[in-house]
Amino acid sequence: MSVIEEIRTRLDGAFAPMLLEVEDESEQHRGHSGWKEGGETHFHVRIQGPAFQGLSRIERHRAIHEALGRELLTRIHALRLTVGP
Amino acid sequence: MSAQDKIEQTVKGNDVVLFMKGTKEIPQCGFSSRVAGVLNFMGVDYSDVNVLSDETIRQGIKDYSDWPTIPQLYVKGEFVGGCDIITEMMLSGELDQLFEQQGVSFNKDAADQIRAHNS
């Protein structure tokens, strides 16, 4: 499974979101530190769902970090999150 | 002194601290650059810690806050967030409120100017 599919699967399973978009932005960071040929280093996740209602910004991000897991997070270089209820 | 002790001392000993890649003058990463740029433009007096110059701090700060990414902003000893959260708080005005509540001085006109350019 590609990293992008892995991210999507884990977030879908954890939050059953109304909106989930995962974008590989690696190409925009070509040549920067952390970037690798073939991409899958820099991601942007847009996610919305009732699971995030009542959580602070930090709590929302922490919930996502937890759903993705430490091992997956160490494999990617950058993760941009846009989270809403 | 352990990395955790050093971090604790830095976080508690400075009103505003940014752990970042590079320095506030020469950031080495787009995300660090954005947060430093906001604080610089707002005229906030803050300390910068370059995690690239010390591998134990680079990993240590992630353990300290249980947060996997850098930059990380701390105000009066409390973790506020990384690049996405600071950007959102900047644009919504929550960052101004936080600084006002915590007695951190900043240039309100500059903050309004950033919002005007991003609305």
Side-chain angles (χ1 to χ4, degrees), chain A residues 57-58 61-62 65 80-81, chain B residues 65-67 84 88 94:
Chain A
R57 293 187 197 281
I58 287 184
H61 283 233
R62 282 202 199 283
H65 296 155
R80 219 149 62 75
L81 296 176
Chain B
S65 54
D66 189 24
W67 194 264
D84 296 320
E88 288 172 14
E94 286 163 273

Side-chain angles (χ1 to χ4, degrees), chain A residues 25 29 32-33 42-44 57-62 65 70 73 77-83, chain B residues 21 28-31 34 58-59 63 65-69 79-81 84-85 88-89 92 94:
Chain A
E25 297 185 320
H29 299 271
H32 296 182
S33 70
H42 295 67
F43 293 92
H44 181 197
R57 293 187 197 281
I58 287 184
E59 288 166 342
R60 287 172 184 173
H61 283 233
R62 282 202 199 283
H65 296 155
R70 196 172 282 260
L73 287 171
H77 178 73
L79 179 65
R80 219 149 62 75
L81 296 176
T82 309
V83 196
Chain B
K21 293 182 179 172
Q28 306 265 352
C29 152
F31 303 103
R34 179 170 331 154
R58 183 176 183 171
Q59 183 53 47
D63 298 335
S65 54
D66 189 24
W67 194 264
T69 52
F79 175 55
V80 181
D84 296 320
I85 289 180
E88 288 172 14
M89 289 177 72
S92 70
E94 286 163 273

Side-chain angles (χ1 to χ4, degrees), chain A residues 23-38:
Chain A
E23 193 188 342
D24 184 343
E25 297 185 320
S26 308
E27 203 44 41
Q28 298 171 27
H29 299 271
R30 177 170 277 276
H32 296 182
S33 70
W35 175 84
K36 285 193 292 246
E37 191 67 58

